[in-house]
Amino acid sequence: MTTPAAASVRWRLRQPSVIPGFGLTLGFSLAYLTLIILIPLAGLVWRSASLSGSEFLAILADARTLNALKVSFGTAFLAALINVVFGVIVAWVIVRYEFPGRRIVDAVVDLPFALPTAVAGIALAALYAPNGWVGQVLNVFGIKAAFNPTGIVIALVFIGLPFVVRTVQPIMEEIDREVEEAAATLGANRFQTVYRVLLPGLAPAILTGFALAFARGVGEYGSVIFIAGNIPYVSEIAPLLIVIRLEEFNYGAATAIATIMLALSFAMLLAINLIQAWSRRRYGHGA
Amino acid sequence: MSVFAKRLGAIALGVGLVFSGVSGAVAQTALLNVSYDPTRELYKDYNEAFAKHWKAETGEDVTIQQSHGGSGKQARAVIDGLEADVVTLALESDINAIADKTGKIAKDWRTRLPNNSAPYTSTIVFLVRKGNPKGIHNWGDLVKGDVQIVTPNPKTSGGARWNYLAAWAWANQEFGGDQDKIKAYIAELYKRAPVLDTGARGSLTTFAQRQIGDVLLAWENEAYLAGAEFGADSFDIVAPPISILAEPPVAVVDGNVDAKGTRKQAEAYLEYLYSEEGQNIAAKHFYRPSKREVVKPELLQQLPEIKLVTIDDPIFGGWAKAQPEHFGDGGVFDQIYKPGN
């Protein structure tokens, strides 16, 4: 609750809205978040605390762990980048153009959300395997798209696309055509209009979409193991390494790897949020 | 990570939902058999036969719930509280893990039923493309020319561990026990595996449907099932002259049956596996029966003679020694993939 006295303090709660009940709703939100997210995560960290510090560091420094983390975060980052480019284009087409079947395209975007990940993995592996429809064509050019890290990126692009499209779409719908027309009358060419007028407003939403697709990709297991090949040091993802440690009945090591992933993900999501706040300040309220 | 946590939660919830009904049923005895993947068809038949037999014997109705999955995953579910009356898993070490971590299974469980508590056994054979174009007849042929191998990952699949041990048993005979040569052979074998699936069924899909590799190392019963599933005209089954005796063991979970009052039925359920009917059902599903004398001869003929090495052979020294040595963190299998090897 802010009071006039507290208003002089630089760090203060945001002005409550005209609707009363701020304290109650904040309390409820925090309690709910704690119950649903923080307690399970704390349980995870607590379980990995069964290891001594040196054991924990040994797992962290293990070449195999590092490789698996590199594969997981690297492929997720790359897939999120690809999704940002193509997701924005897809969103633009759906928002800006009227064409037959537009509603269907709009609905199709959500399918990766609904599909069980194992089904996605099996379908993608069937397509991109050397004897699959797409794999055969790529084989001619000597490209192997399944059972290696490329396969992982393909699976994560599939899984992550809706995140970008669905976060960018509503913001795009709010952009007035007049803004573009004004830009044109002031002598901007199409490229400048996109780069100087449209993108700054969309930047925060694009970043959010990127963050969501990336976070999902890091934790993805079901669709990846069918197309990755799972060769240690090459295409073994961190979630698979966790499963392997569980198979060894090594709960400590499994939760340790999970905790490391959690810390890395949190750091990256926080960084993305900070960039977002900065871009908002710079370009006014984009989202 | 979030997916991992979600999975755990979902599994816990699912298990809770499915089995809350089971534990609450008192009017009718219900047994829960927690098993591994390739036994689906076998237990579907056997459960029907046992229910009929139990009804005739005692007049009691008994229903059997089945749960299947990767052997290690299933063992962990029981450790985490899944109320199994009996476990029928792929590896002795999985049942040992339940005994060690929960105390719900007596330490001497292996001695309680005949044949080390393995009512049926199996072995590892080769599944090759029709006509065997690469001429694969023995373990040595797997590392010749450009042969590519499909096998699941021994770290996540019980069946894959048997594959590895069978290859090791041959190499041990071939190289007269020279450890360096055996390890070099095993390393070469796994370098020829372009895909390491997490389970036996996944590998079968990779081999049969994705057309990856020239040979699949498979459970004998899975190899025969593949013929039934994908058409016998697409593969040949090659039985190598030497392989491993896989003993998928069974045990009553004492802690759970005593709590539920189902000990009598659970023990009878496992014992009946050794009866004439139980043994014939196992043979029908391409498992090797432990009591050959009670099985119809035509069912025995479909399983060729192979020299079988057991896990208790001095070259392995039993599961308690072999599991950490070969498949543990930093064990022989992990060393194969270390960069620079």
Side-chain angles (χ1 to χ4, degrees):
Chain A
M1 300 268 93
T2 53
T3 59
S8 59
V9 183
R10 265 196 71 235
W11 185 87
R12 60 166 206 253
L13 292 169
R14 197 177 285 188
Q15 281 298 317
S17 84
V18 290
I19 302 167
F22 170 68
L24 187 69
T25 48
L26 177 74
F28 174 79
S29 303
L30 288 180
Y32 186 80
L33 275 179
T34 304
L35 197 66
I36 299 292
I37 297 180
L38 293 180
I39 288 180
L41 294 186
L44 177 83
V45 175
W46 178 75
R47 252 205 131 146
S48 67
S50 67
L51 298 169
S52 71
S54 57
E55 281 172 327
F56 193 91
L57 283 176
I59 290 167
L60 177 58
D62 177 43
R64 191 158 170 192
T65 314
L66 288 175
N67 262 292
L69 289 170
K70 204 165 70 188
V71 169
S72 269
F73 282 82
T75 51
F77 194 85
L78 197 61
L81 276 183
I82 294 169
N83 271 328
V84 159
V85 176
F86 290 96
V88 169
I89 294 171
V90 168
W92 182 256
V93 167
I94 293 173
V95 170
R96 274 306 168 86
Y97 303 105
E98 275 297 339
F99 53 93
R102 190 174 73 101
R103 293 250 172 268
I104 294 172
V105 172
D106 199 13
V108 162
V109 168
D110 277 339
L111 274 185
F113 273 153
L115 207 59
T117 52
V119 176
I122 291 167
L124 291 170
L127 269 184
Y128 288 92
N131 69 335
W133 293 346
V134 182
Q136 276 170 343
V137 177
L138 293 175
N139 244 0
V140 174
F141 301 103
I143 301 168
K144 286 195 164 37
F147 310 119
N148 58 21
T150 313
I152 303 178
V153 174
I154 289 169
L156 297 184
V157 166
F158 175 88
I159 294 293
L161 180 73
F163 288 96
V164 178
V165 176
R166 290 294 176 244
T167 45
V168 175
Q169 212 178 336
I171 312 299
M172 269 186 188
E173 277 163 355
E174 284 178 13
I175 298 176
D176 282 333
R177 297 248 167 158
E178 285 88 353
V179 179
E180 287 167 70
E181 285 158 10
T185 57
L186 293 170
N189 60 30
R190 291 305 288 158
F191 176 76
Q192 282 173 316
T193 310
V194 170
Y195 181 73
R196 316 264 317 245
V197 179
L198 296 175
L199 278 184
L202 290 175
I206 292 175
L207 274 171
T208 305
F210 175 86
L212 287 174
F214 171 74
R216 176 65 205 271
V218 166
E220 179 61 24
Y221 174 81
S223 62
V224 172
I225 52 165
F226 290 98
I227 195 169
N230 307 325
I231 304 294
Y233 300 97
V234 179
S235 56
E236 185 176 67
I237 55 170
L240 176 61
L241 195 57
I242 291 173
V243 170
I244 285 173
R245 293 294 171 249
L246 287 174
E247 291 288 337
E248 294 167 354
F249 298 102
N250 189 348
Y251 286 80
T255 45
I257 298 168
T259 307
I260 294 163
M261 285 182 80
L262 196 65
L264 282 171
S265 300
F266 183 76
M268 295 196 75
L269 292 175
L270 188 69
I272 290 169
N273 265 320
L274 291 174
I275 296 169
Q276 238 182 340
W278 169 82
S279 76
R280 267 207 203 118
R281 273 202 301 279
R282 195 168 152 199
Y283 297 113
H285 283 280
Chain B
M1 166 52 245
S2 62
V3 171
F4 170 73
K6 248 195 300 209
R7 288 263 149 99
L8 278 184
I11 290 167
L13 188 70
V15 165
L17 286 177
V18 171
F19 299 111
S20 57
V22 177
S23 54
V26 210
Q28 186 192 40
T29 314
L31 295 178
L32 171 60
N33 175 2
V34 171
S35 193
Y36 64 115
D37 263 329
T39 56
R40 274 168 217 276
E41 297 78 10
L42 163 70
Y43 279 110
K44 200 164 150 264
D45 274 7
Y46 175 74
N47 290 346
E48 235 170 82
F50 176 74
K52 217 180 277 162
H53 156 78
W54 192 245
K55 179 90 180 160
E57 187 96 334
T58 64
E60 255 181 71
D61 282 319
V62 60
T63 52
I64 296 112
Q65 310 259 1
Q66 280 295 138
S67 159
H68 293 276
S71 191
K73 196 190 289 172
Q74 295 289 82
R76 278 199 311 281
V78 175
I79 289 169
D80 292 339
L82 178 57
E83 293 187 333
D85 297 275
V86 296
V87 284
T88 53
L89 296 174
L91 300 170
E92 187 200 317
S93 53
D94 286 330
I95 298 186
N96 281 338
I98 300 171
D100 293 343
K101 289 191 192 290
T102 64
K104 282 183 179 171
I105 298 175
K107 289 264 189 257
D108 65 346
W109 64 270
R110 266 192 101 189
T111 60
R112 290 194 292 191
L113 288 162
N115 199 32
N116 292 333
S117 289
Y120 43 79
T121 62
S122 191
T123 185
I124 300 298
V125 298
F126 305 152
L127 198 63
V128 297
R129 307 274 169 215
K130 193 74 200 167
N132 200 355
K134 300 268 166 154
I136 294 163
H137 302 287
N138 200 348
W139 293 95
D141 301 332
L142 299 178
V143 293
K144 285 187 180 145
D146 60 350
V147 170
Q148 295 248 296
I149 297 153
V150 178
T151 167
N153 188 336
K155 303 289 271 190
T156 54
S157 155
R161 283 176 219 169
W162 293 115
N163 292 347
Y164 169 107
L165 294 169
W168 188 284
W170 170 83
N172 183 68
Q173 180 185 283
E174 181 78 8
F175 304 120
D178 181 335
Q179 292 294 307
D180 290 341
K181 280 187 177 156
I182 300 172
K183 280 181 191 168
Y185 164 77
I186 296 282
E188 174 60 29
L189 192 75
Y190 281 94
K191 290 219 164 78
R192 290 163 174 265
V195 180
L196 288 175
D197 283 292
T198 50
R201 289 270 156 111
S203 280
L204 180 56
T205 306
T206 298
F207 179 76
Q209 291 189 314
R210 313 267 174 272
Q211 298 286 321
I212 302 266
D214 306 298
V215 53
L216 172 75
L217 309 184
W219 285 106
E220 187 171 45
N221 61 306
E222 288 274 296
Y224 282 98
L225 273 182
E229 192 68 36
F230 297 101
D233 49 358
S234 36
F235 316 110
D236 287 338
I237 295 172
V238 175
I242 178 173
S243 192
I244 190 98
L245 176 72
E247 298 179 305
V250 302
V252 168
V253 187
D254 302 290
N256 292 343
V257 293
D258 290 342
K260 290 193 206 171
T262 51
R263 175 175 287 278
K264 190 171 53 136
Q265 294 87 344
E267 282 177 350
Y269 179 78
L270 293 187
E271 275 157 20
Y272 196 64
L273 283 166
Y274 293 87
S275 70
E276 186 177 335
E277 187 176 23
Q279 290 288 296
N280 275 291
I281 291 173
K284 198 179 103 194
H285 289 280
F286 307 105
Y287 282 91
R288 294 179 172 237
S290 63
K291 291 164 85 176
R292 295 172 65 93
E293 62 279 9
V294 300
V295 177
K296 295 189 189 96
E298 66 266 27
L299 288 177
L300 289 177
Q301 274 163 12
Q302 60 191 14
L303 304 168
E305 281 296 320
I306 300 177
K307 181 187 170 192
L308 297 176
V309 178
T310 72
I311 186 74
D312 295 317
D313 191 291
I315 60 171
F316 300 121
W319 269 116
K321 177 169 174 283
Q323 171 70 29
E325 189 176 306
H326 292 281
F327 310 116
D329 191 4
V332 178
F333 181 75
D334 275 351
Q335 289 162 25
I336 289 174
Y337 285 100
K338 274 248 158 60
N341 276 12

